[in-house]
Amino acid sequence: MYEMRTPTKAMPARLVAVYLLSASVAALIGCDSTDSDPPAVDGGIQWVRSAAEYKALSLQAYQAAAEDLQKFLDDKSWSALPDQENAEDLPVAIIADIDETTVSNVEFQATFARPFANHKLDSWNAANKATPVPGMLEFTRKARALDVEVFYVTNRPCEPKRGSDDPCPQKSVTLQDLREAGIETDATHVSLSNERPDWDREKVVRRNHIAKTHRVIMLFGDDLSDFVACARVSPKKPCTEAASTASRNKLTYDHSDYWGEGWYMMPNPMHGSWTSAVAIAPGASADADH
Ligand SMILES: [Mg+2]
């Protein structure tokens, strides 16, 4: 938030000029837009787009995770999934979200015509080169060099598209995005919501599916639902109740031992299931996590 002092007689002319310029910028940011204005860019988007602090937080998460890799490989009793058991002899895997965790969509967030719709993000992804989140590539190379498989679990949905017979044209766009960001992977390591009948937006279903064949040593996401079940306002099986700000905070503290220790949260102040829980995002779709 802006906190500005009123210019005083004692303030040198140079500072008064800076004050007036700052006030003009603040007024511009705060003004109402009209149809002819460029899209409003809110503080969260500005921060991801411009702030060194955003990059530092992303690097901090990925570099801390890189330091933890060997420890979790060596401890065969370790799983980042609290309910996973008897996984000692399974191949090792990491589960990562895609949007704002692996690739950054900040330029989409800054420019798309509100309200959000999945097909808008899909079209933008198809037309624009994906950008890796800072630190992601270096971490992924290190993990793969240690024979860790990376599974990408995204809530980009499979949806029919006019002119396409493919039941999930978004999957090839997503694989192409990962390739553009420097990640070569395949269809078996990427899952979209609705890709199978029981794979809805509640990601715990897909995490549990991966846990049948792999010991999951780390989770990466930008949304609480990338880590725990029942963090979303729109409950899906096995969840039965809508999440609230209070229930989401409780889930976070109930799992406090995992943060920075197998679970790595990436910074995203732009969108997510938190916005639905506090209902502060006019025009936002319910649980706008992807
Ligand atoms: Mg995401």
Side-chain angles (χ1 to χ4, degrees):
M1 298 302 291
Y2 291 93
E3 187 178 338
M4 300 189 64
R5 290 188 309 168
T6 305
T8 66
K9 284 180 183 170
M11 193 181 277
R14 182 165 46 86
L15 289 183
V16 171
V18 169
Y19 167 84
L20 291 173
L21 178 62
S22 304
S24 304
V25 170
L28 274 174
I29 291 172
C31 73
D32 292 330
S33 64
T34 67
D35 288 344
S36 59
D37 287 333
V41 176
D42 71 15
I45 295 171
Q46 293 276 27
W47 186 78
V48 174
R49 215 179 194 183
S50 310
E53 288 81 354
Y54 162 74
K55 298 164 183 72
L57 275 174
S58 299
L59 290 171
Q60 182 170 283
Y62 275 117
Q63 290 178 181
E67 288 290 309
D68 291 342
L69 269 171
Q70 193 62 55
K71 173 178 67 179
F72 293 143
L73 282 170
D74 292 344
D75 181 1
K76 291 184 181 296
S77 69
W78 166 258
S79 173
L81 301 181
D83 296 330
Q84 185 168 28
E85 293 177 341
N86 303 319
E88 290 82 356
D89 298 324
L90 297 178
V92 174
I94 284 168
I95 299 177
D97 170 54
I98 294 181
D99 293 309
E100 323 312 336
T101 299
T102 302
V103 303
S104 170
N105 294 331
V106 64
E107 291 307 318
F108 168 78
Q109 293 296 331
T111 54
F112 80 92
R114 269 66 181 167
F116 175 81
N118 285 306
H119 70 85
K120 295 178 184 177
L121 177 60
D122 185 49
S123 298
W124 188 87
N125 283 330
N128 291 276
K129 189 169 181 286
T131 306
V133 165
M136 180 279 293
L137 270 181
E138 295 79 0
F139 170 80
T140 307
R141 286 183 187 130
K142 179 172 182 181
R144 285 179 157 180
L146 293 167
D147 287 333
V148 179
E149 289 182 56
V150 184
F151 287 87
Y152 297 94
V153 174
T154 175
N155 270 350
R156 293 185 186 186
C158 287
E159 292 175 332
K161 201 170 180 179
R162 198 177 301 163
S164 173
D165 294 333
D166 186 341
C168 187
Q170 296 79 15
K171 183 123 176 184
S172 55
V173 171
T174 301
L175 283 163
Q176 177 65 26
D177 278 348
L178 290 171
R179 191 171 303 123
E180 290 167 355
I183 300 295
E184 282 291 344
T185 187
D186 56 34
T188 60
H189 288 85
V190 176
S191 71
L192 279 65
S193 63
N194 305 335
E195 190 173 338
R196 294 188 186 180
D198 58 333
W199 288 3
D200 56 37
R201 295 172 66 79
E202 175 51 75
K203 289 185 174 182
V204 71
V205 176
R206 281 174 281 163
R207 287 196 292 272
N208 289 342
H209 176 75
I210 294 164
K212 289 177 188 168
T213 54
H214 290 75
R215 178 164 70 91
V216 179
I217 61 166
M218 291 180 173
L219 304 177
F220 291 84
D222 65 295
D223 194 284
L224 188 61
S225 60
D226 293 323
F227 303 88
V228 298
C230 311
R232 309 176 71 256
V233 167
S234 310
K236 304 283 185 197
K237 278 197 289 188
C239 309
T240 54
E241 289 184 22
S244 64
T245 297
S247 73
R248 300 176 90 258
N249 288 338
K250 183 174 187 308
L251 282 168
T252 301
Y253 283 107
D254 284 350
H255 296 89
S256 56
D257 289 350
Y258 287 94
W259 299 115
E261 190 72 13
W263 293 6
Y264 306 90
M265 182 70 83
M266 311 309 297
N268 175 13
M270 301 182 292
H271 60 83
S273 53
W274 66 275
T275 59
S276 304
V278 294
I280 62 165
S285 57
D287 288 319
D289 54 303
H290 31 267

